[in-house]
Amino acid sequence: MARDSLRKSAQPTVAVIDSQSVRTGLAQSVKGIDGGKKIKGIKRHLAVDSNGFPLIRVISRANVHDSNGAIGLAIDTVCKYPTIRLLKADNGYRGPFVKNLKERLFVELECVKSNFGTSEFKPISGRWGVERTLSWLESFRRLNRNYEQFRACLIINVSARVV
């Protein structure tokens, strides 16, 4: 529908992945602490197509590293969209995740270098779609914080998944 209006094929071949840490609104909710951003809450792992349309989302505790949270995200994305052959991500997804992704799921991972620290804005090819989608999610009041108290059954245990 939306992809048809942009003259794209119905099934995407490229997905862009990233994560976003979200603060919790309740003291008793299930959460972790993202040490890098100093956020106590959850982490949304999101896969979008090249236009920024959301494909798959996975929720974990905030203390889960991006590459560990991406394991479940990559499995779910490839299972639901078998035409995807390339995942684009930032450099936080490097490491053994790249090798396992290629060997087990037959999907290539392209780590795109950011232009953080430069004085001018240049959209990063392939990454701007997921960044734009995450900023749209953050601008909605109900999605700005995590207000779910009993969402423990939906939060994945990434250490239990093996790629």
Side-chain angles (χ1 to χ4, degrees), residues 5 16 22 26 63 65 67 92 101 111 122 124 143 151:
S5 67
V16 187
V22 181
L26 302 172
N63 59 347
H65 190 268
S67 60
L101 197 63
C111 290
K122 290 182 184 175
I124 303 169
L143 298 177
R151 215 169 154 120

Side-chain angles (χ1 to χ4, degrees), residues 16 46-55 128-130 132-134 136:
V16 187
L46 187 67
V48 301
D49 67 356
S50 57
N51 299 312
F53 299 130
L55 301 174
W128 67 270
V130 71
R132 181 186 64 185
T133 304
L134 288 172
W136 283 345

Side-chain angles (χ1 to χ4, degrees), residues 57-75:
R57 67 151 169 77
V58 173
I59 298 172
S60 67
R61 290 181 170 87
N63 59 347
V64 174
H65 190 268
D66 288 350
S67 60
N68 292 335
I71 294 169
L73 182 67
I75 291 170

Side-chain angles (χ1 to χ4, degrees), residues 131-155:
E131 297 293 343
R132 181 186 64 185
T133 304
L134 288 172
S135 69
W136 283 345
L137 292 175
E138 194 171 287
S139 66
F140 288 101
R141 183 180 63 85
R142 287 293 295 169
L143 298 177
N144 195 8
R145 281 187 177 260
N146 178 33
Y147 294 104
E148 303 296 331
Q149 180 177 356
F150 301 109
R151 215 169 154 120
C153 60
L154 296 178
I155 295 180

Side-chain angles (χ1 to χ4, degrees), residues 112-131:
V112 181
K113 188 177 190 283
S114 73
N115 56 6
F116 183 74
T118 60
S119 59
E120 60 186 59
F121 172 75
K122 290 182 184 175
I124 303 169
S125 175
R127 289 279 329 266
W128 67 270
V130 71
E131 297 293 343

